[in-house]
Amino acid sequence: INVNATVDLQIQSASGLISGVSFATVGVANAPGVDIEERTVTVMFAAGETMKLESIEIFADNEEEGDEYFNVNLVQQPGFLLGSPSSEFLIIEDDTIQISLDPLTYLVEELTIDTYETLRGTTSAPIREITEIRITDLGGGSATGGVDYMSFNEIITLYPGNTTFEYRVLIMADSEDENDEMFQAMITLESGGGVIINDQADTATITIQDLNRVFFDSVLYTAVEEQMLKILTIRSERPVSTDSILRVCNRDILNSAKRGVDYFS
């Protein structure tokens, strides 16, 4: 939103007559008429007055930019001698709020039932006015919308004071033996003032890992026939993400060892 900068004008001694003094805005590191109100104005002092306040409008924009500067200069008028200072240097601090997806990479394990992955984002400062962003899945990855995850194209509304936001993506289960798959999500600005999307963090990558496989070591186990224990080794393709319970059971093979006779079942 636009704001006003206030300039304090003073004369050394009060006059018994109405008098005026002029000042002008001069751009230094900005665009007059774009960043600041470009104006030359005469301020009238009533008889007996020694101080006046005058405002200059600072225009809002959604540009990410460094601090900008401008001068306010007094203009010589008949009947006045310019004192010091006759020029003021003002700084416009950039306060554009950046909106980012955070973190930029997500890893989710595909389960035997549908599950959700929560995408999170942050703002560089509290939101000042109602702001809408759009979050959309991007095609072109190895994961397929509608098969591996539920496609999305939704509006997220941020309210004054918000500094974070979330969006839940449905990850769809399947029983196929497949490699890890990937898709991306992107945010864009729909509406709102004084905010921009951080173009270094506007996209998140989501990798869907297939179900973790477990298996016996692929070796031939042998044991001498006497009362003893034989240890079988079970491995997984990657570290398990949650506590897991496996059931190990025996199976008779025709014309081979019998449970309860040659081994305990």
Side-chain angles (χ1 to χ4, degrees):
I1 58 175
N2 294 354
V3 296
N4 289 324
T6 301
V7 178
D8 183 353
L9 301 173
Q10 298 183 38
I11 55 178
Q12 191 172 32
S13 59
S15 171
L17 302 173
I18 296 176
S19 54
V21 63
S22 296
F23 73 89
T25 55
V26 179
V28 177
N30 61 64
V34 177
D35 297 303
I36 62 171
E37 179 183 14
E38 189 174 20
R39 63 186 300 209
T40 298
V41 64
T42 298
V43 180
M44 303 304 297
F45 286 82
E49 283 188 316
T50 60
M51 184 177 70
K52 298 285 283 189
L53 298 178
E54 188 68 24
S55 63
I56 302 166
E57 191 169 13
I58 310 298
F59 300 137
D61 61 40
N62 289 337
E63 298 293 328
E64 183 182 6
E65 54 199 357
D67 292 347
E68 298 171 306
Y69 315 94
F70 69 98
N71 279 346
V72 179
N73 297 333
L74 290 175
V75 180
Q76 184 70 55
Q77 293 290 323
F80 280 96
L81 177 65
L82 294 183
S84 179
S86 61
S87 179
E88 283 291 342
F89 187 68
L90 287 86
I91 301 175
I92 307 172
E93 293 183 338
D94 186 48
D95 63 350
T96 303
I97 298 172
Q98 292 192 9
I99 303 176
S100 307
L101 275 176
D102 181 47
L104 301 183
T105 57
Y106 294 83
L107 185 64
V108 58
E109 190 170 75
E110 184 178 62
L111 303 178
T112 54
I113 58 173
D114 291 351
T115 188
Y116 286 91
E117 177 69 5
T118 301
L119 308 184
R120 294 179 171 85
T122 58
T123 65
S124 59
I127 293 295
R128 291 188 291 267
E129 62 180 78
I130 293 177
T131 299
E132 291 184 333
I133 59 174
R134 182 177 296 276
I135 186 165
T136 311
D137 66 292
L138 302 178
S142 52
T144 303
V147 177
D148 300 300
Y149 66 93
M150 185 68 71
S151 295
F152 50 92
N153 183 4
E154 302 286 345
I155 293 292
I156 300 174
T157 302
L158 305 179
Y159 295 94
N162 286 167
T163 57
T164 61
F165 61 91
E166 295 182 349
Y167 184 78
R168 297 179 70 199
V169 180
L170 178 64
I171 306 299
M172 305 171 72
D174 64 43
S175 57
E176 294 184 15
D177 184 8
E178 54 197 358
N179 296 322
D180 294 349
E181 297 169 307
M182 178 271 294
F183 68 98
Q184 290 185 315
M186 171 176 277
I187 54 172
T188 54
L189 182 64
E190 287 288 309
S191 66
V195 296
I196 60 169
I197 300 297
N198 181 355
D199 60 7
Q200 300 298 313
D202 62 346
T203 304
T205 300
I206 302 92
T207 299
I208 305 174
Q209 287 188 322
D210 198 28
L211 288 172
N212 201 356
R213 300 173 180 85
V214 294
F215 47 87
F216 284 114
D217 266 354
S218 56
V219 297
L220 178 64
Y221 294 91
T222 60
V224 179
E225 189 177 76
E226 59 183 58
Q227 191 166 338
M228 63 175 293
L229 295 176
K230 188 65 178 178
I231 297 176
L232 308 181
T233 302
I234 300 173
R235 301 186 185 277
S236 64
E237 281 188 321
R238 58 179 181 268
V240 295
S241 56
T242 60
D243 291 344
S244 303
I245 299 175
L246 298 177
R247 181 183 297 277
V248 180
C249 58
N250 60 280
R251 183 178 63 181
D252 283 341
I253 300 176
L254 185 62
N255 297 324
S256 190
K258 301 297 183 181
R259 55 184 166 178
V261 176
D262 299 302
Y263 64 92
F264 284 106
S265 60

